[in-house]
Amino acid sequence: METMTYQEMQRMLMDELRLMHYPIAIKYFFDQSELDAFKAKAEYYLPAKALTFCQAELGARMEGLTVLMGREQLGCSNAKCVFGWKEIDAAEIKGHLKYVRDLEQAERFVRSKPRLSGELLAVAVSPLADAVFPPDVVHFYCDNMQAYHLVVDWMSARDIHPLRPNMTINSAACGGNVQCFNTGEANVFLACSGSYNAGKTERGEINVAIPGADIGKLAGRLAERKAATGGASLTRSGQPFPGADICKNCPLIVFKKGNAPADTEA
């Protein structure tokens, strides 16, 4: 199952989990030759004006575009710090006072965010199906039960339990995915104030970040379950996602076949 193409993975994930948005393939470029190869191979778009990282993701998850973002295209100081494009200075710390009790707590919280350690040149986001290089992270904007299925399949595929999410007071989309990249483990996190407003995250949506190296394993686990049970659902085994929303032991909501064919002799 791990030999599926990215196109096949995206099609299956969207069909079986009823995703509303394309899974976002995120690629961090630290090598100039790799970035040059991407520019030569991919059909990509640049933000016309400086955007936040979660705004750049809108192009990928809603419009199906491949968006390349360099330092000059990123207009978010939080994401710049997470990407290593800006030092943590007094202004950055002061900008977090609305979340915390005092300046000392603000500094501790800002400095505890995940950060990229290498010299980042650019970051690209695209629908998973359009990834021209293996993604570093695959980011899903999804609902509660979609997130549940994704992380349960990841835990099963990787034999890791329990999941240990990492969430910060802001920098959700930028920091949450960098955490996944840095650790090599899946992450589940809520929208921050910026990704809710600027990134247009719906109130019921949850972020799931899957290491790019694991997306084939996750897709394979989903395909295995469907082949074994007949459906993708974990809540109602054998049913299509999401499965009937019925209490497991309810004695009232039961269905019996009414037109069973008569036995016939061979």
Side-chain angles (χ1 to χ4, degrees):
M1 293 298 180
E2 290 188 46
T3 59
M4 283 188 287
T5 66
Y6 292 130
Q7 291 87 352
E8 291 168 335
M9 292 180 205
Q10 175 173 295
R11 187 181 308 114
M12 186 185 69
L13 288 163
M14 294 201 70
D15 289 349
E16 298 299 336
L17 297 183
R18 311 293 194 265
L19 297 174
M20 289 188 64
H21 302 283
Y22 295 122
I24 304 168
I26 301 174
K27 179 67 177 176
Y28 302 111
F29 292 100
F30 301 95
D31 180 81
Q32 186 62 51
S33 61
E34 190 175 43
L35 178 57
D36 292 341
F38 170 85
K39 290 180 177 180
K41 189 174 183 180
E43 180 180 336
Y44 65 91
Y45 292 78
L46 297 171
K49 297 182 179 180
L51 302 177
T52 67
F53 175 72
C54 47
Q55 286 173 333
E57 284 191 313
L58 289 171
R61 69 181 173 102
M62 290 186 176
E63 297 189 63
L65 303 177
T66 295
V67 179
L68 182 65
M69 173 172 273
R71 188 189 299 249
E72 62 277 10
Q73 282 89 36
L74 183 59
C76 173
S77 65
N78 295 327
K80 284 182 177 179
C81 286
V82 168
F83 289 165
W85 284 343
K86 178 181 180 293
E87 292 300 319
I88 296 173
D89 55 20
E92 185 67 19
I93 294 167
K94 187 176 180 180
H96 286 70
L97 276 174
K98 67 178 180 178
Y99 303 107
V100 297
R101 290 186 295 194
D102 53 39
L103 200 62
E104 183 275 332
Q105 189 178 66
E107 181 169 4
R108 281 193 293 108
F109 282 18
V110 170
R111 294 193 183 281
S112 66
K113 290 185 189 182
R115 300 188 77 193
L116 291 174
S117 58
E119 184 66 34
L120 183 69
L121 302 176
V123 57
V125 294
S126 71
L128 177 61
D130 295 337
V132 297
F133 288 104
D136 293 315
V137 177
V138 181
H139 183 192
F140 295 83
Y141 285 80
C142 51
D143 68 24
N144 183 295
M145 290 312 300
Q146 291 165 338
Y148 173 71
H149 281 66
L150 287 167
V151 298
V152 167
D153 280 343
W154 178 83
M155 287 188 285
S156 176
R158 281 287 307 273
D159 193 24
I160 293 175
H161 193 269
L163 181 74
R164 297 174 178 84
N166 179 282
M167 183 181 139
T168 57
I169 56 176
N170 66 0
S171 303
C174 52
N177 287 300
V178 165
Q179 173 72 13
C180 176
F181 175 73
N182 285 347
T183 64
E185 294 194 0
N187 194 16
V188 179
F189 48 101
L190 305 178
C192 66
S193 58
S195 67
Y196 171 64
N197 291 307
K200 303 304 177 187
T201 307
E202 296 294 335
R203 286 179 61 181
E205 287 180 329
I206 298 173
N207 296 276
V208 175
I210 301 294
D214 295 342
I215 194 63
K217 298 181 180 71
L218 185 154
R221 179 72 192 101
L222 173 58
E224 287 170 3
R225 183 172 62 259
K226 184 181 179 184
T229 68
S233 176
L234 285 168
T235 57
R236 300 281 290 190
S237 184
Q239 292 193 8
F241 180 86
D245 187 9
I246 299 169
C247 178
K248 182 177 181 180
N249 297 316
C250 180
L252 299 176
I253 308 175
V254 178
F255 303 98
K256 295 183 178 180
K257 197 167 186 179
N259 62 337
D263 293 337
T264 57
E265 294 183 1

